Amino acid sequence: MADYGIKINKKCLFWYCAQKENKLQMENEFRNKILKLALSITAQQFMLALVSACDAFMLGGLNQNSLSAVSLASQITFVFNLVLTALTIGENMFVAQYYGKKDFDGVRASAGLVLKYVLLISGFFMIATLFIPQILMKFFTNDAVLIAYGINT
């Protein structure tokens, strides 16, 4: 074997290989966690789409007004989901920053604040949809027939 004047320290080589292997293992664990998260989000969005598809399938045999009214009523749910998604995405950014700084009190404070807002907004949407659905539906249409079908269907 030719000697090129390079001495290889076996301990350093072992350490380098161990670090490389550890890094690959961490990357695989990270990918697995991201995949689990992505699959759960995909399943949630699929179920939301499936509910709308089931509504269309069940009401397809009825008249067009019923189908349109249910679609109109589902717009309120869409806005509700949009608001909650925006809140939780914003919260996740704060939590990531606090977690990166190892400020766990900040994580708790941020998560607690957003939880209060989510509960407040959820309560508002629940009360509004139970007691004043016609006002909510007027944001999306002025057709009195669709509003009446949406409230009664």
Side-chain angles (χ1 to χ4, degrees), residues 12-143:
C12 289
L13 184 61
F14 176 74
W15 179 83
Y16 176 76
C17 291
Q19 291 291 46
K20 203 73 157 147
E21 185 177 316
N22 189 24
K23 185 178 180 184
L24 289 174
Q25 184 180 5
M26 287 175 52
E27 287 177 1
N28 286 337
E29 288 174 7
F30 179 73
R31 281 191 193 109
N32 288 339
K33 288 180 182 179
I34 291 294
L35 184 62
K36 287 178 185 177
L37 181 64
L39 287 176
S40 64
I41 292 171
T42 303
Q44 177 191 11
Q45 294 301 318
F46 177 72
M47 285 188 204
L48 284 173
L50 193 61
V51 167
S52 297
C54 287
D55 285 343
F57 182 71
M58 289 186 304
L59 296 172
L62 297 177
N63 58 17
Q64 182 66 29
N65 286 336
S66 295
L67 185 60
S68 297
V70 169
S71 176
L72 180 66
S74 69
Q75 292 298 313
I76 297 168
T77 306
F78 174 74
V79 170
F80 173 68
N81 285 331
L82 193 66
V83 170
L84 291 187
T85 301
L87 277 171
T88 54
I89 287 173
E91 181 223 0
N92 286 337
M93 288 190 295
F94 283 117
V95 166
Q97 288 177 356
Y98 287 132
Y99 188 80
K101 292 190 317 185
K102 305 281 191 247
D103 181 6
F104 299 112
D105 290 333
V107 170
R108 281 190 280 284
S110 174
L113 182 65
V114 170
L115 182 61
K116 289 176 188 174
Y117 283 128
V118 165
L119 289 173
L120 183 71
I121 291 170
S122 297
F124 168 76
F125 269 92
M126 183 185 75
I127 290 169
T129 55
L130 285 175
F131 297 114
I132 53 168
Q134 64 276 9
I135 294 174
L136 293 177
M137 292 181 116
K138 281 192 178 193
F139 284 118
F140 299 104
T141 187
N142 291 327
D143 189 354

